[in-house]
Amino acid sequence: MADNYLEKQYEAYHARKAAMGNIKKRKKQATSPQIIQTDAIETLKELIEAPELQVPFNLFRNKLYSADDLYAGYQLGKPESYKDSYDSIVYQHYLKKGKRATDIKETLGRTLHDHSMTDAMYDFLSNFDEKRVIGIMGGHGLLRTEKSYWQIVMVSKTLTEKGCLMVSGGGPGAMEATHLGAWMAGRTEAEVNDAIVILQEAPSFKDRLWLESAFQVMKKYPHGDYMSLGVPTWLYGHEPSTPFATHIAKYFDNSIREDSILTIAMGGIIYSPGSAGTMQEIFQEAVQNHYLSFGYASPMIFMGIEYWSKEMPVWPLMQHLIDKGKYKNLLLTLSDSIEEITDVLLKFGNS
């Protein structure tokens, strides 16, 4: 009976489409659920890939991006060539259609792309122990010349060498430092410092040579055996994605992207100094841990004693809320020590 019902719905669908003049009416023929399903998928693809839904990105991408994918068209030595890269072309299309697009064809295209990203990301993550997936959050404005930048690089490098997969929002600042650390895993501290000196020619992502200097480091220190995952968004497309992330899940929908980072970093999250976005991520993660949304709580590490105690007094607030019973199950650490931070996370990953 179920098969007969499915067949009737299938025929009715084609009859309606034929009546609207969208497709030719098909002759009734014997069908099976498998044939119907396959044909329906192909029909959907035909409709989506029709000329009226032309977009500069792949709707059904089956793997994550790499720096080579995003920056295809960029020429080393010609910073202005960024405008010809895939990343820039997609971003300009995104702006032209509107960040909050009202064209259903455009929103459908973005949704299908983001769904493909999520599917590819979880395929990639299936290769890792979930308690070894660690996130680092922090400000995009962190300069390459600041001490915190170096600290994040070294923490990420150490954890990557110990078998962890480092994850960030995939942009500049603290996010770039995360992926630089993973990129330089297996190399000496002197080599790391040399790479940072090269990058300091353009301290801010607003500097003309920010991306160029990153590619210079990648050329001098080619990728080794270590990986990291960046999860940026075209919502903040004015902030270029760091090419140091070996695997990149770039989204149109920032809410999906934000939730994904916090969800997949089951091995814990390090919060380096940041502002509004980092604050949002702290309390969003605290909710997940409080309710044990995924079965257990993960470490929340606050890197920067002075910053989190006084300048942005989240630490005393969290302690107060715990004392009042408003939060439970939180595993909190406040530290400036690279050794202490990595030890806490590695012990949790081995538990």
Side-chain angles (χ1 to χ4, degrees), residues 92-279:
Q92 294 307 316
H93 171 84
Y94 176 68
L95 293 178
K96 181 179 178 180
K97 292 294 184 177
K99 291 185 176 182
R100 293 184 176 180
T102 56
D103 183 345
I104 191 171
K105 296 171 187 174
E106 177 68 20
T107 56
L108 174 61
R110 295 179 186 181
T111 299
L112 289 169
H113 170 276
D114 285 1
H115 177 78
S116 296
M117 275 293 98
T118 298
D119 188 57
M121 182 174 67
Y122 278 100
D123 281 347
F124 172 67
L125 290 170
S126 66
N127 298 303
F128 300 89
D129 180 342
E130 65 178 27
K131 283 192 172 183
R132 291 277 177 166
V133 180
I134 297 171
I136 296 185
M137 305 298 188
H140 61 247
L142 180 66
L143 300 178
R144 291 164 164 175
T145 52
E146 295 184 54
K147 181 180 178 181
S148 292
Y149 185 93
W150 180 85
Q151 286 180 308
I152 295 168
V153 170
M154 296 308 295
V155 166
S156 180
K157 177 179 183 293
T158 301
L159 289 169
T160 300
E161 291 169 344
K162 296 295 184 179
C164 298
L165 176 71
M166 303 306 296
V167 180
S168 89
M175 295 171 281
E176 180 194 50
T178 301
H179 299 288
L180 175 61
W183 184 273
M184 297 299 290
R187 299 186 183 276
T188 66
E189 185 173 330
E191 288 175 314
V192 172
N193 291 337
D194 178 58
I196 293 176
V197 168
I198 295 171
L199 294 174
Q200 287 176 341
E201 181 180 359
S204 167
F205 73 90
K206 298 177 182 178
D207 295 325
R208 178 172 174 270
L209 297 178
W210 184 87
L211 187 60
E212 177 74 9
S213 58
F215 282 125
Q216 288 175 2
V217 168
M218 294 168 70
K219 183 177 181 180
K220 185 172 183 178
Y221 298 106
H223 177 238
D225 298 326
Y226 300 96
M227 294 178 283
S228 67
L229 174 63
V231 192
T233 173
W234 276 292
L235 179 67
Y236 302 136
H238 60 287
E239 301 175 5
S241 303
T242 174
F244 291 117
T246 60
H247 293 74
I248 303 170
K250 191 154 190 175
Y251 285 88
F252 290 104
D253 191 323
N254 184 54
S255 62
I256 296 176
R257 170 247 190 180
E258 287 277 2
D259 186 65
S260 295
I261 299 171
L262 297 173
T263 299
I264 65 178
M266 298 298 293
I269 295 179
I270 300 168
Y271 295 97
S272 63
S275 54
T278 306
M279 291 287 286

Side-chain angles (χ1 to χ4, degrees), residues 15 20 66 94 182 184 187 194 216 290 294 317 334 348:
M20 292 187 290
S66 67
Y94 176 68
M184 297 299 290
R187 299 186 183 276
D194 178 58
Q216 288 175 2
H290 172 78
F294 301 101
L317 173 61
L334 176 66
F348 178 78

